[in-house]
Amino acid sequence: MEKSLRAARLATFAYFVLNGFLLGMWIVHIPTVEEHTGISHAVLGWLLLLLGGGAFAGMQLVGPLADRFGSRKVVPLSAALCSAALLLPGLAADAWTLGPALFVFGFGNGCLDVSMNTHAVQVERGYGRPIMSAFHALFSIGGVIAALVGALTLSLGWSAATTLGAMAVLSLVAAALASRALLPPESAPSKETTATATENGATETGPGEAATENGTAGAAAGRRAPSRIWILAALAFMLMLSEGVANDWSVLHLKDVLDAPEATAAFAYGAFATAMTVGRLLTDRVAARIGTVAVVRYGSAVAAVGLTVATLAPAVPLALVGWTIFGIGLSGCVPQLFSAAGHADPGAAGANVSRVAGLGYLGMLAGPAVIGPMTHLMPLNLAFFLPVAFCAVACLTAPVLRTGQPEGAPGVGPAPARQQA
C-alpha cells in the first residue's frame, strides 16, 4: 500500500503540474492571441466569461462522475481533453472563433481540475496527514514552467498556434504516462483514516460530523450540500477571483500600463506563480502551527497589500514585487478550502469538491472578466482595486472556515497535523 500511495502521489503531482502548465501557456499567450484576433481588452474580458463558463460546466459534470466511476478513469480523460483543447485558441482568427475555443479549453480545464483534486483528497486520506498544499504548489510550478517556455518561444518569434500545438502534443503524452499509477476507488483507506480522525477530534466533533463515517449518511449529506460547503465555496469564489486577476491580467498590466516588452511582461505571471509555489510548499506546516483560519485571514490581508503595491507601482521592478507579495499572500488559502470540502464527506468528495471548485474557479476564470468592461471607465491598474476589496472581505470573514469542520481532518485541525508533521 505504501508503494502504491507514493506512486499515486507522484502521478497526482504530474497532473497538477500539467494543469498549471496548460493554463499558464494560455495565460502568457493572451497578448499575442488578443493582437492576432484584433480584439480589445473589453471584448477579451467578455470572452473570458466563456472560458469560465466552460470550466464551471466541466466541474459540475465531472464531480459526480468521479464519485461514481473513480478518479482513476476520469483524471486521464480530463487531462487528454484539456491538452488537446490548448491548441484551439492559437488557431482562432477572430472573436467568433476564439469564444468557442475558450469554452472548450475551459471545459477541459474544469474537468481536470476537479478530478485531480478529488484524487488528491483520496491520496491525502491514505497518508493521514496534510499534503494538499503540496499538490497545489506543483500546479504553480506548472505555471512557472509555462512562463519560462512562453518567454522563450515569444522571444524566438514562434506563433501562438505553433507553440500551443507543440505543447498540446507533449501534454497528451505526459497525461497518458501518469495514468497507470492512479489509485482505484477501493484503494482509498477512508474508513480507517476517518475513524482515526474522529478519535483525535472526538472532544471537538459533534454527532453530525461523526455520522460521516457511515457511507450512506455521507452520501446523503453530499446530496444535501451542507451549508458549510457553500460557505467554503463563497470564500473560494472571493479568493480565486483575486487569483484570476493575476492569471488573466498581470501580463497585460506590465505590457500596457508600464510599457514593458512582451517577453518581460510574461515575468509578471512568473513572479506571481513562483511566489504561490513557495508559499504552498510551506503552507501545510504553517497551518499545523497556527491553524487554517489564521492562514486564510493573514494570507488574504497580505494579498491585499501586495496587489495594492502592484496597482500603484510606477515602474516594472516595483510592480513585480507587488505581484510577488500578492502570490505569497494567496498561496496558502485555497488548498485548505479544497481539502476541507473533500474530507467533509468521503462518500461525496467529488461532488463537494466540484461545488467549492466550481464557484471558486468561476471566480478565477470568469470573475476577472469584469475587469475588461471596467477599463472603459478607468485605467487597467485601478480596476485591480476590486480584487483588493475581495481580499479584505475574505480576511474579515475567515473565521467561517472553522464552522462545522471536524478537528481531526487532515489540514483542518492544528493538533493532529502537528503529530504528523
Side-chain angles (χ1 to χ4, degrees):
M1 175 61 73
E2 281 187 23
K3 193 171 183 180
S4 64
L5 273 175
R6 284 197 298 269
R9 187 181 185 185
L10 291 174
T12 310
F13 279 153
Y15 283 109
F16 271 80
V17 172
L18 179 64
N19 192 203
F21 177 77
L22 292 171
L23 188 59
M25 287 305 299
W26 152 245
I27 290 166
V28 298
H29 283 87
I30 286 177
T32 304
V33 172
E34 184 184 46
E35 182 178 355
H36 176 71
T37 55
I39 60 177
S40 65
H41 290 348
V43 173
L44 175 63
W46 288 112
L47 291 179
L48 289 175
L49 287 171
L50 293 173
L51 181 66
F56 185 81
M59 289 172 179
Q60 301 316 301
L61 173 67
V62 85
L65 290 178
D67 287 333
R68 181 174 180 181
F69 299 107
S71 302
R72 187 175 191 174
K73 294 181 179 179
V74 178
V75 172
L77 293 176
S78 299
L81 173 60
C82 189
S83 298
L86 177 65
L87 172 63
L88 300 180
L91 299 177
D94 50 33
W96 296 104
T97 51
L98 181 59
L102 291 180
F103 182 87
V104 175
F105 179 63
F107 184 86
N109 178 72
C111 290
L112 177 56
D113 191 277
V114 165
S115 60
M116 72 182 186
N117 270 287
T118 302
H119 188 265
V121 169
Q122 182 179 347
V123 175
E124 185 179 55
R125 191 177 300 121
Y127 271 80
R129 58 184 173 88
I131 57 173
M132 180 63 77
S133 291
F135 289 124
H136 285 249
L138 269 292
F139 174 89
S140 298
I141 287 177
V144 174
I145 296 172
L148 295 174
V149 172
L152 174 63
T153 57
L154 286 170
S155 66
L156 294 175
W158 288 23
S159 69
T162 299
T163 303
L164 297 182
M167 296 306 107
V169 172
L170 291 177
S171 298
L172 284 168
V173 174
L177 292 176
S179 64
R180 297 181 178 181
L182 297 178
L183 294 175
E186 63 271 15
S187 295
S190 58
K191 291 185 179 180
E192 293 96 343
T193 304
T194 303
T196 302
T198 304
E199 290 175 9
N200 289 338
T203 59
E204 297 293 333
T205 305
E209 285 80 22
T212 60
E213 291 182 40
N214 181 281
T216 304
R223 288 193 295 269
R224 287 196 300 269
S227 61
R228 68 175 181 266
I229 297 298
W230 296 115
I231 294 172
L232 293 171
L235 196 55
F237 179 89
M238 290 187 290
L239 293 174
M240 295 182 71
L241 184 148
S242 302
E243 182 179 340
V245 168
N247 292 344
D248 292 323
W249 297 103
S250 60
V251 176
L252 287 171
H253 170 235
L254 261 66
K255 178 177 178 291
D256 293 352
V257 177
L258 299 177
D259 296 322
E262 283 187 356
T264 301
F267 285 99
Y269 175 71
F272 172 80
T274 301
M276 292 282 282
T277 303
V278 173
R280 284 174 172 171
L281 288 172
L282 299 174
T283 293
D284 289 331
R285 290 184 177 273
V286 172
R289 291 181 178 275
I290 68 175
T292 55
V293 172
V295 168
V296 175
R297 177 189 291 126
Y298 298 120
S300 56
V302 169
V305 172
L307 186 53
T308 300
V309 170
T311 296
L312 302 178
V316 170
L318 185 58
L320 290 175
V321 170
W323 287 115
T324 301
I325 296 173
F326 186 48
I328 291 173
L330 285 181
S331 61
C333 299
V334 172
Q336 308 304 315
L337 307 180
F338 279 34
S339 180
H343 291 294
D345 177 7
N352 285 335
V353 169
S354 72
R355 290 170 181 131
V356 174
L359 283 184
Y361 276 87
L362 190 61
M364 190 182 79
L365 299 174
V370 303
I371 300 294
M374 287 176 67
T375 60
H376 286 304
L377 305 174
M378 63 188 73
L380 174 62
N381 58 322
L382 294 184
F384 292 162
F385 278 114
L386 176 64
V388 168
F390 273 101
C391 288
V393 171
C395 174
L396 296 174
T397 59
V400 302
L401 186 63
R402 184 185 296 114
T403 304
Q405 296 300 331
E407 183 92 3
V412 175
R418 280 196 202 101
Q419 295 168 8
Q420 298 290 346

